[in-house]
Amino acid sequence: MLIHRAREAGFAVGVALIVSVAATSAYATDPTPKWCQGVKIAAFPGGPQGGVFANNVYNGFKQAELDLGPSVTYYFSDWDPNKMLTQIQQALATKVDGIATYGFGGEAATAPMVDQAFAQGTIFTTLNTSLPESQKKYSAKGFGYVGAPNYAAGFALGAEAAKRADLKAGDKVFVWGLKGQGGDRGQRTVGVIDAFTKAGAKVIYQEIDSATNADPNAGTATFVGVMGANPGIKIVVTDHGGLTSNVGVYARAASLKPGQVFFAGFDMSPNTAQAVKEGYQNLVIDQQPYLQGYLPILNICLTKKFGFSGLDVNTAGAFVDSSNVDAVAPLAAKEIR
């Protein structure tokens, strides 16, 4: 009888221990607020403060900062690759835990800074414009990429615009882009041009100058001049979120009616949504720049705290046009999409 009871007592103790261990295990994995607190990050929205696209990225950064708890310093670069490279060097000098930036400078100029970053214990990751060789070298240490595969995105936009506008061999198209910019960023414009070349179109190309890059209104005279000098242009592609947001202004300045020319471009904004509704803007690739801000902060926090490798996320999965703009427009107004 005593032995039987002792066995019962032993069984009860064993069950209690199992429950206790299970409960301890559950508590160990409970969600933790602000779990990235104490981590210092330098984040690059890309353009001017408050500018189109840059502000969407900034909003993603800010939400991640609020949700996760790191301390974030922001560098606004006016879409100037040289300014961004200088700011990256400044950020490195502060010995931050992580840097989330664009690859505008290209591999040749940026790779030495990436090497310096990881040598000093700073996690370096990219958004919007990749540094594929550096990412391959350091992905296991946290180097990731959040954005579109740029050449493929450019080609996809050009091909879709050609199809929807019923482009014929010999038709004129105007591509306003950044082919001359280093690395992966210039490849997006190359992708657009290649798609039109494959379709047999006559491509009229204009590099976006530095003034227009920083302030799209500065390009109005350029747009009017190109359209006036090349009558019969069937498609216009603006390979820049700021310029795409200004399509309504450009079209009116050139006395174009809605639908007279097929406009395609990159990135949603309140003005772009309005231009789609008015019939000026016909096709937009939505890169979801908010994610290009939020996810790199998450990337750095995951690597710093838990040793995770870099994230690689394609954010450009959909076109926006008149059929679905009403769903996106309210989010564009909040600078989330």
Side-chain angles (χ1 to χ4, degrees):
M1 186 70 172
L2 289 172
I3 293 172
H4 179 69
R5 286 179 179 173
R7 287 175 178 169
E8 284 184 344
F11 176 76
V13 170
V15 170
L17 284 172
I18 291 169
V19 171
S20 175
V21 169
T24 302
S25 177
Y27 291 141
T29 57
D30 277 351
T32 304
K34 308 290 186 184
W35 54 269
C36 195
Q37 205 159 26
V39 174
K40 296 179 181 179
I41 298 173
F44 290 69
Q49 191 163 4
V52 171
F53 193 91
N55 217 38
N56 298 57
V57 174
Y58 176 72
N59 288 339
F61 282 149
K62 291 294 289 183
Q63 189 63 55
E65 180 183 12
L66 178 65
D67 291 348
L68 308 177
S71 173
V72 184
T73 302
Y74 297 97
Y75 293 82
F76 293 89
S77 311
D78 300 320
W79 304 123
D80 182 339
N82 291 322
K83 182 175 182 179
M84 186 174 289
L85 289 169
T86 298
Q87 290 172 328
I88 291 171
Q89 196 64 63
Q90 291 168 352
L92 284 169
T94 68
K95 301 292 179 69
V96 288
D97 296 300
I99 293 174
T101 189
Y102 296 67
F104 284 165
E107 287 282 4
T110 315
M113 298 184 191
V114 176
D115 290 337
Q116 179 186 342
F118 283 99
Q120 71 181 37
T122 296
I123 301 155
F124 196 109
T125 193
T126 48
L127 58 126
N128 183 266
T129 306
S130 68
L131 294 168
E133 293 304 313
S134 292
Q135 185 178 351
K136 182 179 179 181
K137 185 176 181 180
Y138 290 109
S139 62
K141 294 184 177 182
F143 194 123
Y145 176 62
V146 179
N150 279 319
Y151 178 86
F155 194 95
L157 182 68
E160 187 69 16
K163 182 175 75 173
R164 295 193 186 199
D166 193 25
L167 189 71
K168 300 289 194 300
D171 285 343
K172 297 177 186 177
V173 299
F174 171 30
V175 178
W176 202 359
L178 290 165
K179 185 174 65 171
Q181 200 163 97
D184 183 51
R185 177 59 184 91
Q187 287 302 300
R188 194 170 79 180
T189 300
V190 173
V192 175
I193 293 170
D194 283 355
F196 287 139
T197 301
K198 185 177 180 180
K202 179 183 178 182
V203 178
I204 298 149
Y205 179 70
Q206 177 68 46
E207 186 80 5
I208 299 169
D209 61 38
S210 57
T212 305
N213 203 14
D215 177 10
N217 286 312
T220 303
T222 298
F223 179 82
V224 172
V226 170
M227 297 301 290
N230 298 278
I233 287 174
K234 194 166 187 176
I235 300 174
V236 172
V237 172
T238 47
D239 185 12
H240 187 297
L243 274 65
T244 301
S245 76
N246 227 37
V247 157
V249 173
Y250 299 146
R252 291 183 181 93
S255 300
L256 298 175
K257 296 177 181 178
Q260 184 176 340
V261 173
F262 189 98
F263 280 89
F266 289 86
D267 310 324
M268 288 302 300
S269 69
N271 286 345
T272 298
Q274 185 62 33
V276 172
K277 292 182 178 184
E278 292 173 348
Y280 286 110
Q281 186 73 44
N282 304 100
L283 184 66
V284 184
I285 280 189
D286 180 12
Q287 288 193 88
Q288 303 180 107
Y290 182 89
L291 294 179
Q292 296 181 16
Y294 194 100
L295 293 178
I297 300 295
L298 176 62
N299 184 143
I300 291 168
C301 288
L302 288 170
T303 301
K304 181 66 179 178
K305 289 292 187 177
F306 309 124
F308 282 110
S309 58
L311 303 177
D312 194 307
V313 182
N314 179 2
T315 63
F319 291 115
V320 176
D321 56 22
S322 59
S323 71
N324 59 6
V325 68
D326 286 338
V328 179
L331 297 170
K334 295 179 181 180
E335 295 183 308
I336 293 174
R337 290 286 291 278

